[in-house]
Amino acid sequence: EVQLVESGGGLVQPGGSLRLSCAASGFSFRISAMSWVRQAPGKGLEWVSGITSGGGRTNYVNSVKGRFTISRDNAKNTLYLQLNSLKIEDTAMYFCAKGWPAGERGQGTQVTVSS
């Protein structure tokens, strides 16, 4: 059974930073591409970033390029998303997902950007 447990969200001021983590189990993490997706209040699901199994290729939605960084530690079965220069419009529930395109996802961690 695929299990994905996100953590690291919180309340932060505009311009602040957060680091999200996703602990993966129940599947072969090291051979799986992974993604981060988010859902803002009242909006649909939006793909944010993806990373290949070895971490050699990444990509981002245009709105977060240069501000967010996806990474992974295959020895720890953990996916990360570093969020810098946060904006109010980044407020959303963030989910990690198995696969790229995104498939099964976890329960999410809330990121709220507010002054």
Side-chain angles (χ1 to χ4, degrees), residues 20-97:
L20 307 184
S21 298
C22 171
S25 61
F27 66 102
S28 296
F29 179 79
R30 65 182 64 240
I31 63 170
S32 297
M34 297 292 293
S35 301
W36 285 97
V37 298
R38 67 184 179 184
Q39 187 165 26
K43 297 189 176 181
L45 209 58
E46 176 186 39
W47 174 83
V48 175
S49 181
I51 186 168
T52 51
S53 59
R57 187 167 68 90
T58 61
N59 204 0
Y60 304 87
V61 66
N62 285 342
S63 59
V64 309
K65 281 183 179 177
R67 300 189 297 120
F68 291 8
T69 303
I70 191 172
S71 62
R72 63 191 296 160
D73 186 335
N74 284 347
K76 295 182 178 179
N77 282 7
T78 303
L79 179 72
Y80 302 100
L81 187 67
Q82 178 69 40
L83 289 65
N84 295 332
S85 302
L86 281 160
K87 303 177 180 180
I88 290 175
E89 52 264 40
D90 293 319
T91 294
M93 185 72 78
Y94 285 71
F95 304 88
C96 72

Coordinates of all heavy atoms in Angstrom, one line a residue, residues 20-97:
L20 N 9.1 21.6 3.0 CA 8.1 20.5 3.1 C 8.9 19.2 2.9 O 9.8 19.1 2.1 CB 7.0 20.6 2.0 CG 6.3 22.0 2.0 CD1 5.2 21.9 0.9 CD2 5.8 22.4 3.3
S21 N 8.4 18.2 3.6 CA 9.0 16.8 3.5 C 7.8 15.9 3.2 O 6.7 16.1 3.6 CB 9.7 16.4 4.8 OG 10.8 17.3 5.1
C22 N 8.2 14.8 2.6 CA 7.2 13.7 2.3 C 7.9 12.4 2.5 O 8.8 12.0 1.8 CB 6.7 13.8 0.9 SG 5.7 12.4 0.3
A23 N 7.4 11.7 3.5 CA 8.0 10.3 3.8 C 7.2 9.3 3.1 O 6.0 9.2 3.2 CB 7.9 10.1 5.3
A24 N 7.9 8.5 2.3 CA 7.2 7.5 1.4 C 7.5 6.1 1.8 O 8.6 5.8 2.3 CB 7.7 7.7 -0.1
S25 N 6.5 5.3 1.7 CA 6.6 3.8 2.0 C 5.6 3.1 1.2 O 4.6 3.6 0.6 CB 6.4 3.6 3.5 OG 5.1 4.0 3.9
G26 N 5.8 1.7 1.1 CA 4.9 0.9 0.5 C 5.1 0.7 -1.0 O 4.3 0.0 -1.7
F27 N 6.1 1.3 -1.5 CA 6.5 1.1 -3.0 C 8.0 1.4 -3.1 O 8.6 1.9 -2.2 CB 5.6 2.0 -3.9 CG 5.9 3.5 -3.7 CD1 6.7 4.2 -4.6 CD2 5.3 4.2 -2.6 CE1 6.9 5.6 -4.4 CE2 5.6 5.6 -2.4 CZ 6.4 6.3 -3.3
S28 N 8.5 1.1 -4.3 CA 9.9 1.3 -4.6 C 10.2 2.8 -4.9 O 10.2 3.2 -6.0 CB 10.3 0.5 -5.7 OG 10.2 -0.9 -5.4
F29 N 10.4 3.6 -3.8 CA 10.6 5.0 -4.0 C 11.7 5.3 -4.9 O 11.6 6.2 -5.8 CB 10.8 5.6 -2.6 CG 11.1 7.1 -2.6 CD1 10.0 8.0 -2.7 CD2 12.3 7.6 -2.5 CE1 10.2 9.4 -2.6 CE2 12.5 9.0 -2.5 CZ 11.5 9.9 -2.5
R30 N 12.8 4.6 -4.8 CA 14.1 5.0 -5.5 C 13.9 4.8 -7.0 O 14.7 5.4 -7.8 CB 15.2 4.2 -5.0 CG 15.2 2.7 -5.3 CD 16.4 1.9 -4.7 NE 16.4 2.1 -3.2 CZ 17.4 2.6 -2.6 NH1 18.4 3.1 -3.2 NH2 17.4 2.7 -1.3
I31 N 12.9 4.1 -7.5 CA 12.7 4.0 -8.9 C 11.5 4.7 -9.4 O 11.1 4.6 -10.6 CB 12.6 2.5 -9.4 CG1 11.4 1.8 -8.8 CG2 13.9 1.8 -9.1 CD1 11.2 0.4 -9.4
S32 N 10.9 5.5 -8.5 CA 9.7 6.3 -8.9 C 9.9 7.7 -9.0 O 10.5 8.4 -8.2 CB 8.6 6.1 -7.8 OG 8.3 4.7 -7.7
A33 N 9.5 8.3 -10.2 CA 9.4 9.8 -10.3 C 8.4 10.2 -9.3 O 7.5 9.5 -8.9 CB 9.1 10.2 -11.7
M34 N 8.5 11.5 -8.8 CA 7.6 12.0 -7.8 C 7.2 13.4 -8.2 O 7.9 14.1 -9.0 CB 8.3 12.0 -6.4 CG 8.7 10.7 -5.9 SD 7.3 9.6 -5.5 CE 6.6 10.6 -4.1
S35 N 6.2 13.9 -7.6 CA 5.6 15.2 -7.9 C 5.2 15.9 -6.6 O 4.9 15.2 -5.6 CB 4.5 15.2 -8.9 OG 4.8 14.6 -10.1
W36 N 5.0 17.2 -6.7 CA 4.3 18.0 -5.7 C 3.1 18.6 -6.4 O 3.3 19.2 -7.5 CB 5.2 19.0 -5.0 CG 6.1 18.5 -4.0 CD1 7.5 18.2 -4.2 CD2 5.9 18.3 -2.6 NE1 8.0 17.8 -3.1 CE2 7.1 17.8 -2.1 CE3 4.8 18.4 -1.8 CZ2 7.2 17.5 -0.7 CZ3 4.9 18.0 -0.5 CH2 6.1 17.5 0.0
V37 N 2.0 18.6 -5.8 CA 0.8 19.3 -6.3 C 0.2 20.1 -5.2 O 0.5 19.9 -4.0 CB -0.2 18.3 -6.9 CG1 0.4 17.6 -8.1 CG2 -0.7 17.4 -5.9
R38 N -0.6 21.1 -5.5 CA -1.2 21.9 -4.5 C -2.7 22.3 -4.9 O -3.0 22.2 -6.0 CB -0.4 23.2 -4.2 CG -0.4 24.2 -5.4 CD 0.5 25.4 -5.1 NE 0.5 26.3 -6.2 CZ 1.3 27.4 -6.2 NH1 2.1 27.7 -5.2 NH2 1.3 28.2 -7.3
Q39 N -3.4 22.6 -3.9 CA -4.8 23.0 -4.1 C -5.1 24.2 -3.2 O -5.1 24.1 -2.0 CB -5.8 21.9 -3.8 CG -7.2 22.2 -4.1 CD -8.1 21.0 -4.2 OE1 -7.8 20.0 -3.5 NE2 -9.2 21.1 -5.0
A40 N -5.3 25.3 -3.8 CA -5.7 26.6 -3.1 C -7.1 26.6 -2.8 O -7.9 25.9 -3.4 CB -5.3 27.8 -4.0
P41 N -7.5 27.4 -1.8 CA -8.9 27.4 -1.4 C -9.9 27.7 -2.6 O -9.6 28.7 -3.3 CB -9.0 28.5 -0.3 CG -7.6 28.6 0.2 CD -6.7 28.2 -0.9
G42 N -10.8 26.9 -2.8 CA -11.8 27.1 -3.8 C -11.3 26.9 -5.3 O -12.0 27.2 -6.2
K43 N -10.1 26.3 -5.4 CA -9.6 26.1 -6.7 C -9.3 24.6 -6.9 O -9.3 23.8 -6.0 CB -8.3 26.9 -6.9 CG -8.6 28.4 -6.9 CD -7.3 29.2 -7.3 CE -7.6 30.7 -7.4 NZ -6.4 31.4 -7.8
G44 N -9.0 24.2 -8.1 CA -8.6 22.8 -8.5 C -7.2 22.5 -8.1 O -6.4 23.3 -7.7
L45 N -6.9 21.2 -8.4 CA -5.5 20.8 -8.1 C -4.5 21.3 -9.2 O -4.9 21.3 -10.3 CB -5.5 19.2 -8.1 CG -4.5 18.5 -7.3 CD1 -4.7 18.8 -5.8 CD2 -4.7 17.0 -7.5
E46 N -3.4 21.8 -8.7 CA -2.4 22.3 -9.6 C -1.1 21.6 -9.4 O -0.6 21.5 -8.3 CB -2.2 23.8 -9.3 CG -1.1 24.5 -10.1 CD -0.8 25.9 -9.8 OE1 -0.8 26.2 -8.6 OE2 -0.5 26.7 -10.7
W47 N -0.5 21.1 -10.5 CA 0.8 20.5 -10.4 C 1.9 21.6 -10.2 O 1.8 22.7 -10.8 CB 1.1 19.8 -11.8 CG 2.5 19.3 -11.8 CD1 3.0 18.1 -11.3 CD2 3.6 19.9 -12.5 NE1 4.4 18.0 -11.6 CE2 4.8 19.1 -12.3 CE3 3.8 21.1 -13.1 CZ2 6.0 19.4 -12.8 CZ3 5.0 21.5 -13.7 CH2 6.1 20.6 -13.5
V48 N 2.8 21.3 -9.3 CA 3.8 22.3 -8.9 C 5.2 22.0 -9.4 O 5.9 22.8 -9.9 CB 3.8 22.5 -7.3 CG1 5.0 23.4 -6.9 CG2 2.5 23.0 -6.8
S49 N 5.6 20.7 -9.2 CA 6.9 20.3 -9.5 C 7.0 18.8 -9.7 O 6.3 18.1 -9.1 CB 7.9 20.8 -8.4 OG 9.2 20.5 -8.8
G50 N 8.0 18.4 -10.5 CA 8.3 17.0 -10.6 C 9.8 16.7 -10.6 O 10.6 17.6 -10.9
I51 N 10.1 15.5 -10.3 CA 11.5 15.1 -10.2 C 11.6 13.6 -10.6 O 10.8 12.8 -10.3 CB 12.1 15.3 -8.8 CG1 13.6 15.0 -8.7 CG2 11.4 14.4 -7.8 CD1 14.3 15.5 -7.4
T52 N 12.7 13.3 -11.4 CA 12.9 11.9 -11.9 C 13.4 11.1 -10.7 O 13.8 11.6 -9.7 CB 13.8 11.9 -13.1 OG1 15.0 12.7 -12.7 CG2 13.2 12.5 -14.3
S53 N 13.4 9.8 -10.9 CA 13.8 8.8 -9.9 C 15.2 9.1 -9.3 O 15.3 9.0 -8.1 CB 13.7 7.4 -10.4 OG 14.6 7.2 -11.5
G54 N 16.1 9.4 -10.1 CA 17.5 9.7 -9.6 C 17.7 11.1 -9.3 O 18.8 11.5 -8.8
G55 N 16.7 12.0 -9.5 CA 16.9 13.4 -9.2 C 17.6 14.2 -10.2 O 17.8 15.4 -10.0
G56 N 17.9 13.6 -11.4 CA 18.7 14.3 -12.4 C 17.9 15.3 -13.2 O 18.5 16.1 -13.9
R57 N 16.6 15.2 -13.2 CA 15.8 16.2 -13.9 C 14.6 16.6 -13.1 O 14.0 15.8 -12.4 CB 15.2 15.5 -15.2 CG 14.5 16.5 -16.1 CD 14.3 15.9 -17.5 NE 13.4 14.8 -17.5 CZ 12.1 14.9 -17.7 NH1 11.5 16.1 -17.9 NH2 11.3 13.8 -17.8
T58 N 14.4 17.9 -13.1 CA 13.3 18.5 -12.4 C 12.6 19.5 -13.3 O 13.1 20.0 -14.3 CB 13.8 19.2 -11.1 OG1 14.7 20.3 -11.5 CG2 14.5 18.3 -10.2
N59 N 11.4 19.9 -12.9 CA 10.6 20.9 -13.6 C 9.6 21.5 -12.6 O 9.2 20.9 -11.6 CB 9.9 20.4 -14.8 CG 9.7 21.5 -15.9 OD1 10.0 22.6 -15.7 ND2 9.1 21.1 -17.0
Y60 N 9.2 22.8 -13.0 CA 8.3 23.5 -12.1 C 7.2 24.2 -12.9 O 7.5 24.6 -14.1 CB 9.1 24.6 -11.4 CG 10.3 24.0 -10.6 CD1 11.5 23.8 -11.1 CD2 10.1 23.6 -9.2 CE1 12.6 23.2 -10.4 CE2 11.1 23.1 -8.5 CZ 12.3 22.9 -9.1 OH 13.4 22.3 -8.4
V61 N 6.1 24.5 -12.3 CA 5.1 25.4 -12.9 C 5.7 26.8 -12.9 O 6.5 27.2 -12.1 CB 3.8 25.3 -12.1 CG1 4.0 25.9 -10.7 CG2 2.7 26.1 -12.9
N62 N 5.4 27.5 -14.0 CA 6.1 28.9 -14.2 C 6.0 29.8 -12.9 O 6.9 30.5 -12.6 CB 5.5 29.6 -15.4 CG 6.0 29.0 -16.7 OD1 7.0 28.3 -16.7 ND2 5.3 29.2 -17.8
S63 N 4.9 29.7 -12.2 CA 4.6 30.6 -11.1 C 5.6 30.4 -9.9 O 5.7 31.3 -9.1 CB 3.2 30.5 -10.6 OG 2.9 29.2 -10.2
V64 N 6.3 29.3 -9.9 CA 7.2 29.0 -8.7 C 8.6 28.9 -9.2 O 9.5 28.7 -8.3 CB 6.7 27.8 -7.9 CG1 5.3 27.8 -7.6 CG2 7.1 26.5 -8.7
K65 N 8.9 29.0 -10.4 CA 10.3 28.8 -10.9 C 11.2 29.9 -10.3 O 10.8 31.1 -10.3 CB 10.3 28.9 -12.5 CG 9.9 27.6 -13.2 CD 10.0 27.7 -14.7 CE 9.6 26.4 -15.3 NZ 9.7 26.5 -16.8
G66 N 12.3 29.5 -9.8 CA 13.3 30.4 -9.2 C 13.0 30.6 -7.7 O 13.8 31.2 -7.0
R67 N 11.9 30.1 -7.2 CA 11.5 30.3 -5.8 C 11.4 28.9 -5.1 O 11.8 28.8 -3.9 CB 10.2 31.0 -5.7 CG 10.2 32.4 -6.3 CD 8.9 33.1 -5.9 NE 7.7 32.5 -6.4 CZ 6.7 32.0 -5.7 NH1 6.8 32.2 -4.3 NH2 5.6 31.5 -6.2
F68 N 11.0 27.9 -5.7 CA 10.8 26.6 -5.1 C 11.9 25.6 -5.7 O 12.3 25.7 -6.8 CB 9.4 26.0 -5.4 CG 8.3 26.7 -4.8 CD1 8.4 27.8 -4.1 CD2 7.0 26.1 -4.9 CE1 7.3 28.5 -3.5 CE2 5.9 26.7 -4.3 CZ 6.1 27.9 -3.6
T69 N 12.3 24.7 -4.8 CA 13.3 23.7 -5.3 C 12.8 22.3 -4.8 O 12.6 22.1 -3.6 CB 14.7 24.0 -4.7 OG1 15.1 25.3 -5.1 CG2 15.7 22.9 -5.2
I70 N 12.7 21.4 -5.7 CA 12.3 20.0 -5.4 C 13.6 19.2 -5.3 O 14.6 19.4 -6.0 CB 11.4 19.4 -6.4 CG1 10.8 18.1 -6.0 CG2 12.0 19.2 -7.8 CD1 9.7 17.5 -6.9
S71 N 13.6 18.2 -4.3 CA 14.8 17.4 -4.2 C 14.3 16.1 -3.5 O 13.2 16.0 -3.1 CB 15.9 18.0 -3.4 OG 15.4 18.3 -2.0
R72 N 15.2 15.1 -3.5 CA 14.9 13.8 -2.9 C 16.1 13.2 -2.3 O 17.2 13.4 -2.7 CB 14.2 12.9 -3.9 CG 15.1 12.5 -5.0 CD 14.3 11.9 -6.2 NE 13.7 10.6 -5.7 CZ 12.7 10.0 -6.3 NH1 12.2 10.5 -7.4 NH2 12.3 8.8 -5.9
D73 N 15.8 12.3 -1.3 CA 16.9 11.5 -0.7 C 16.4 10.1 -0.7 O 15.6 9.6 0.1 CB 17.1 11.9 0.8 CG 18.3 11.2 1.4 OD1 18.6 10.1 1.0 OD2 18.8 11.7 2.4
N74 N 16.9 9.3 -1.7 CA 16.4 8.0 -1.9 C 16.9 7.0 -0.8 O 16.2 6.0 -0.6 CB 16.9 7.4 -3.3 CG 16.2 8.0 -4.4 OD1 15.1 8.6 -4.3 ND2 16.7 7.9 -5.7
A75 N 17.9 7.4 -0.1 CA 18.3 6.5 1.0 C 17.4 6.7 2.2 O 17.2 5.7 3.0 CB 19.7 6.9 1.5
K76 N 16.7 7.8 2.3 CA 15.7 8.0 3.3 C 14.2 7.9 2.9 O 13.3 8.2 3.6 CB 15.9 9.4 3.9 CG 17.3 9.6 4.6 CD 17.4 10.9 5.3 CE 18.7 11.1 6.0 NZ 18.9 12.4 6.6
N77 N 14.0 7.6 1.6 CA 12.7 7.5 1.0 C 11.9 8.8 1.3 O 10.7 8.7 1.7 CB 11.9 6.3 1.6 CG 12.3 5.0 1.0 OD1 13.3 4.9 0.2 ND2 11.6 3.9 1.3
T78 N 12.5 9.9 1.1 CA 11.9 11.2 1.4 C 12.1 12.2 0.2 O 13.1 12.3 -0.4 CB 12.6 11.8 2.7 OG1 12.4 10.9 3.7 CG2 11.9 13.1 3.0
L79 N 11.0 12.8 0.0 CA 10.9 13.9 -1.0 C 10.8 15.2 -0.3 O 10.1 15.3 0.8 CB 9.6 13.7 -1.9 CG 9.3 14.7 -3.0 CD1 10.4 14.5 -4.1 CD2 7.9 14.5 -3.5
Y80 N 11.4 16.3 -0.9 CA 11.4 17.6 -0.3 C 10.9 18.6 -1.3 O 11.0 18.5 -2.5 CB 12.8 18.0 0.2 CG 13.4 17.0 1.1 CD1 14.3 16.1 0.7 CD2 13.1 17.0 2.5 CE1 14.9 15.2 1.6 CE2 13.7 16.2 3.4 CZ 14.6 15.2 2.9 OH 15.2 14.4 3.8
L81 N 10.4 19.7 -0.7 CA 10.1 20.9 -1.5 C 10.5 22.1 -0.7 O 9.9 22.4 0.4 CB 8.6 21.0 -1.9 CG 8.3 22.1 -2.9 CD1 9.0 21.9 -4.3 CD2 6.8 22.3 -3.1
Q82 N 11.5 22.8 -1.1 CA 12.0 24.1 -0.5 C 11.2 25.2 -1.1 O 11.2 25.4 -2.3 CB 13.5 24.3 -0.6 CG 14.0 25.6 0.0 CD 14.0 25.5 1.5 OE1 14.3 24.5 2.1 NE2 13.6 26.7 2.1
L83 N 10.5 26.0 -0.2 CA 9.7 27.1 -0.7 C 10.3 28.4 -0.2 O 10.4 28.6 1.0 CB 8.3 27.0 -0.1 CG 7.3 25.9 -0.7 CD1 7.7 24.5 -0.3 CD2 5.9 26.2 -0.1
N84 N 10.8 29.2 -1.1 CA 11.4 30.5 -0.7 C 10.6 31.6 -1.3 O 9.8 31.4 -2.3 CB 12.9 30.6 -1.2 CG 13.8 29.6 -0.5 OD1 13.6 29.2 0.6 ND2 14.8 29.1 -1.3
S85 N 10.8 32.8 -0.8 CA 10.1 34.0 -1.3 C 8.7 33.8 -1.5 O 8.1 34.1 -2.5 CB 10.8 34.4 -2.7 OG 12.2 34.7 -2.5
L86 N 8.0 33.3 -0.5 CA 6.6 32.9 -0.5 C 5.7 34.1 -0.7 O 6.0 35.2 -0.2 CB 6.2 32.1 0.7 CG 6.7 30.6 0.7 CD1 6.7 30.1 2.1 CD2 5.7 29.8 -0.2
K87 N 4.7 33.9 -1.5 CA 3.7 34.9 -1.8 C 2.3 34.5 -1.3 O 2.1 33.3 -1.1 CB 3.6 35.1 -3.4 CG 4.9 35.4 -4.0 CD 4.7 35.5 -5.5 CE 6.1 35.9 -6.2 NZ 5.9 36.0 -7.7
I88 N 1.5 35.4 -1.1 CA 0.1 35.1 -0.6 C -0.6 34.1 -1.5 O -1.2 33.2 -1.0 CB -0.7 36.4 -0.5 CG1 -0.1 37.3 0.7 CG2 -2.2 36.1 -0.3 CD1 -0.8 38.6 0.8
E89 N -0.3 34.2 -2.8 CA -1.0 33.3 -3.7 C -0.4 31.9 -3.7 O -0.9 31.0 -4.4 CB -0.9 33.8 -5.2 CG 0.5 34.2 -5.6 CD 0.8 35.7 -5.5 OE1 0.3 36.3 -4.4 OE2 1.4 36.3 -6.4
D90 N 0.6 31.6 -2.9 CA 1.1 30.3 -2.7 C 0.3 29.5 -1.6 O 0.6 28.3 -1.4 CB 2.6 30.3 -2.3 CG 3.5 30.8 -3.4 OD1 3.3 30.4 -4.5 OD2 4.5 31.6 -3.1
T91 N -0.6 30.2 -0.9 CA -1.4 29.6 0.1 C -2.2 28.4 -0.5 O -2.9 28.6 -1.5 CB -2.3 30.6 0.7 OG1 -1.6 31.6 1.4 CG2 -3.3 29.9 1.7
A92 N -2.0 27.3 0.1 CA -2.7 26.1 -0.5 C -2.4 24.9 0.4 O -1.5 24.9 1.3 CB -2.2 25.8 -1.9
M93 N -3.1 23.8 0.2 CA -2.7 22.5 0.7 C -1.7 21.9 -0.3 O -2.0 21.8 -1.5 CB -3.9 21.6 0.9 CG -3.6 20.3 1.5 SD -3.3 20.5 3.3 CE -5.0 20.7 3.9
Y94 N -0.6 21.4 0.2 CA 0.4 20.9 -0.7 C 0.5 19.3 -0.4 O 0.5 18.9 0.7 CB 1.8 21.5 -0.3 CG 2.0 22.9 -0.9 CD1 1.3 23.9 -0.4 CD2 2.8 23.1 -2.0 CE1 1.4 25.2 -0.9 CE2 2.9 24.4 -2.5 CZ 2.2 25.4 -2.0 OH 2.4 26.7 -2.5
F95 N 0.5 18.6 -1.6 CA 0.5 17.2 -1.5 C 1.7 16.6 -2.3 O 2.0 17.2 -3.4 CB -0.7 16.6 -2.2 CG -2.1 17.1 -1.7 CD1 -2.6 18.2 -2.2 CD2 -2.7 16.4 -0.7 CE1 -3.9 18.7 -1.7 CE2 -4.0 16.8 -0.3 CZ -4.5 17.9 -0.8
C96 N 2.4 15.6 -1.8 CA 3.3 14.9 -2.6 C 2.6 13.8 -3.3 O 1.5 13.3 -2.8 CB 4.5 14.4 -1.8 SG 4.2 13.0 -0.7
A97 N 3.0 13.4 -4.4 CA 2.4 12.4 -5.2 C 3.4 11.4 -5.9 O 4.4 11.8 -6.3 CB 1.5 13.0 -6.3

